[in-house]
Amino acid sequence: MPRVIHFEIHADQPERACTFYRNLFDWKITKWEGPMDYYVIVTGPDGQPGINGGLIRRQGKIDGTAVIAYVCTVDVPNIDEFTKKATSAGAQVVVPKMPVPGVGWLVYCKDTEGNIFGMMQADSNVKGA
């Protein structure tokens, strides 16, 4: 079956977005040496479950015609700690921490570029609200 193998973040200010994600998740982000303004994102070591992605300058204004988000969810060890870290780095919480029964805790934030992303702390013991 098809699986997500890459994600892409669109940003008005790519350097600002790179700084945001480096500081928040300690991702390795490097400028691609190809013919376009593109950044390669490595989210973890090979062999660890997960995907890598990229970051590109947004094409168009946030007016309904430009790409503003493809929601990806990031596995974090402590949802409260990372929510504080995200808001300290300039993010806004757009959907507060909520239980996902039998899975864990989930929160949705908006980054410095207006993109929505999720963070989840795995916890199979979580019950419904």
Side-chain angles (χ1 to χ4, degrees), residues 6 28-33 38-42 52-55:
H6 183 79
K28 181 180 175 190
I29 305 174
T30 55
K31 186 143 178 24
W32 185 47
E33 294 183 19
Y38 196 84
Y39 297 80
V40 176
I41 301 172
V42 176
N52 296 318
L55 190 142

Side-chain angles (χ1 to χ4, degrees), residues 2-125:
R3 296 185 64 192
V4 176
I5 59 168
H6 183 79
F7 65 87
E8 193 167 76
I9 299 169
H10 293 240
D12 290 327
Q13 295 183 31
E15 296 80 13
R16 179 175 68 185
C18 288
T19 298
F20 177 82
Y21 284 103
R22 280 183 190 117
N23 290 340
L24 181 57
F25 296 125
D26 200 28
W27 287 349
K28 181 180 175 190
I29 305 174
T30 55
K31 186 143 178 24
W32 185 47
E33 294 183 19
M36 59 192 310
D37 192 20
Y38 196 84
Y39 297 80
V40 176
I41 301 172
V42 176
T43 64
D46 291 341
Q48 178 182 0
I51 61 173
N52 296 318
L55 190 142
I56 189 170
R57 184 173 301 279
R58 189 181 327 277
Q59 306 298 306
K61 296 182 181 193
I62 299 178
D63 62 0
T65 60
V67 175
I68 59 169
Y70 187 92
V71 177
C72 293
T73 299
V74 179
D75 179 39
V76 296
N78 183 306
I79 196 84
D80 296 324
E81 177 183 316
F82 273 81
T83 299
K84 285 179 189 172
K85 195 172 178 181
T87 56
S88 293
Q92 291 178 278
V93 173
V94 294
V95 177
K97 175 181 161 183
M98 64 182 157
V100 179
V103 177
W105 295 98
L106 177 66
V107 65
Y108 287 105
C109 295
K110 186 184 295 186
D111 73 9
T112 55
E113 305 307 308
N115 297 304
I116 304 295
F117 66 96
M119 294 186 289
M120 173 163 286
Q121 177 184 330
D123 183 349
S124 61
N125 296 316

